[in-house]
Amino acid sequence: MDRIRIIGGTPLKGSIPIGGAKNAALALMPACLLTDQTLTLTNLPHLVDITTMANLLAQHGVGMALNGDSGLGGASGRALDLTAAEIVNTTAPYDLVRRMRASVLVLGPLLARCGRARVSLPGGCAIGTRPVDLHLKALEQMGARIDLQEGYIAAEVAGRLKGAHIIFPQVTVGGTENLLMAASLAEGETVIANAAREPEVADLAHCLLAMGARIEGIGTGTLRIQGVERLHGAVYSVVPDRIETGSYAVAAAITRGNVELVGARMDLMDSVIKVLRDCGAEVTATERGMRVRADAAELVGTDIMTEPYPGFPTDMQAQLMALMATASGASMITETIFENRFMHVPELMRMGAKINVHGASAIVRGVPRLSGAPVMATDLRASVSLVLAGLAAEGETVVNRVYHLDRGYERVEEKLAACGARIERIKGEGAE
Ligand code: EPZ
């Protein structure tokens, strides 16, 4: 298993290209199941999770053709044709779903197109129990019969799904995405209240519009969908990844560097930019994206609470914690989305960070310098937070279990090395 070795202490300088958003792509790809025509996604990132979704779709019968680099920024964008001319299998097996929870996003489209779907129930994961009860209740409201059998969600509907008024008691990104896709092919109007407003949800809605869906309220908490009988093919470009952008913004700040993030969408990052500025980093718009610099700054701690969009994203919490660990003064970081998303804390503490966790909050007291150590993490964002800490630490850090990073960060070591980081991937052998 690969490891990443970092010698910390070099301020990053240069530019980093931002790829298409993993979490948008993971919702856009299953949208191809809604039509027998071709959906072409451009600016698709090259990541393990994208391959897992492609494998899942292939076994449902989706034909795929990769059309090389889409040429967008010449960075990482790929173009993929997805054609679900005929759906040959409506089961999403345990073996694929257990590897990636986003697999549950085939449920809504399969049910809407084929009238049935069997999807393995995703289990808990490293950041929490993460049930899908809200997805299921909402689909039941649309007329689906749902049974849980032998670890599988067995869903069926006679005829088409029916429009319904759905009020999500809690904001759910995946739930909103599943319902958007299901409602696009349902009979009549569906209203989703307390819908997730995340940019990845809006990206899916815009793609569905391009496929012929009728959706109002995109980007707001109330989505109104008039179901149509059929959708058609489209060509759609995946939105730039705001979490990848934020992660490299922290890399610039934590190394007291100066980096341009090429292709970044600043307008989707208000809460993260505010926190970076509150700590003393300079964030400015450039013609190609945005620039983050902290080469002349003394960074100070600031408090953060994760919330649904437009609040501060839970997917940036671990990275900000690494930054706060090196800022002066204290910061309180409160996680409100997932119940167990502090798995990076003990590893950061092994690098000399001073952190106390009390329930859903962590108090971080900044230290002048972290020190390198062998570390590992059990989820994607925790892993990248350890890479960030390693970039700032004195000496050598080796991050194990790099496969978590490969799920969500494309060529992470190349992008950082191009800005002067001393970082390398060590291939293979016994690294757990
Ligand atoms: C998406 O997960 C993202 N994944 C996550 O990114 C992200 O952390 C999360 O949204 C929150 O922003 C993808 O887009 C593929 P939710 P999702 O449904 O859709 C509870 C990363 O690192 N809930 O908004 O699964 C749930 O347990 C990943 O890239 C229910 O109780 O998140 C959680 O506490 C990790 N019942 C909260 O709601 C349900 O039926 C929010 O979950 C659904 C959710």
Side-chain angles (χ1 to χ4, degrees), residues 55-143:
N55 290 339
L56 176 62
L57 294 173
Q59 63 88 49
H60 290 311
V62 176
M64 272 169 266
L66 193 58
N67 289 327
D69 195 303
S70 62
L72 294 173
S76 49
R78 298 174 138 202
L80 181 68
D81 292 340
L82 302 117
T83 314
E86 197 190 340
I87 290 176
V88 298
N89 171 13
T90 52
T91 297
Y94 173 69
D95 203 39
L96 287 169
V97 179
R98 80 180 163 81
R99 265 185 250 167
M100 190 184 65
R101 300 178 49 85
S103 306
V104 80
L105 293 174
V106 300
L107 177 61
L110 284 177
L111 190 57
R113 168 112 176 252
C114 309
R116 62 181 191 282
R118 229 175 129 254
V119 176
S120 175
L121 257 180
C125 73
I127 60 178
T129 51
R130 301 185 72 185
V132 290
D133 55 321
L134 302 175
H135 304 224
L136 304 189
K137 279 189 196 129
L139 289 170
E140 278 177 337
Q141 269 186 268
M142 298 186 72

Side-chain angles (χ1 to χ4, degrees), residues 287-300:
E287 259 174 39
R288 301 191 298 172
M290 69 189 235
R291 178 175 297 282
V292 181
R293 61 189 301 181
D295 44 356
E298 204 215 319
L299 298 187
V300 291

Side-chain angles (χ1 to χ4, degrees), residues 22-23 130-134 170 172-174 315 337 381:
K22 168 185 79 95
N23 287 348
R130 301 185 72 185
V132 290
D133 55 321
L134 302 175
Q170 178 181 352
T172 161
V173 172
D315 291 348
I337 308 292
R381 310 303 171 186

Side-chain angles (χ1 to χ4, degrees), residues 406-426:
D406 292 337
R407 293 183 59 176
Y409 292 89
E410 185 171 347
R411 302 182 294 117
V412 64
E413 67 280 15
E414 282 176 42
K415 291 187 183 188
L416 290 168
C419 290
R422 294 174 65 194
I423 181 168
E424 61 174 347
R425 181 179 288 252
I426 306 169

Side-chain angles (χ1 to χ4, degrees), residues 163-168 171-181 183-184 188-198 200-206 208-209 214-227:
H165 194 129
I166 288 144
I167 305 173
F168 278 123
V171 174
T172 161
V173 172
T176 306
E177 291 167 343
N178 241 333
L179 263 289
L180 255 179
M181 291 189 272
S184 293
E189 179 181 85
T190 300
V191 178
I192 308 177
N194 199 25
R197 289 183 282 164
E198 270 64 7
E200 295 75 22
V201 176
D203 211 36
L204 171 63
H206 284 297
L208 293 170
L209 280 186
R214 295 171 56 199
I215 304 170
E216 286 171 20
I218 298 175
T220 76
T222 306
L223 294 167
R224 202 173 280 276
I225 305 113
Q226 310 292 339

Side-chain angles (χ1 to χ4, degrees), residues 7 20 26 44 50 81 93 122 136 138 142 164 183 223 248 276 297 301 328 331 363 378 381 390 393 417 419 421:
I7 310 287
L26 290 177
L44 198 69
I50 301 298
D81 292 340
L136 304 189
M142 298 186 72
L223 294 167
Y248 290 124
L276 288 168
S328 66
S331 336
I363 311 288
T378 44
R381 310 303 171 186
C419 290

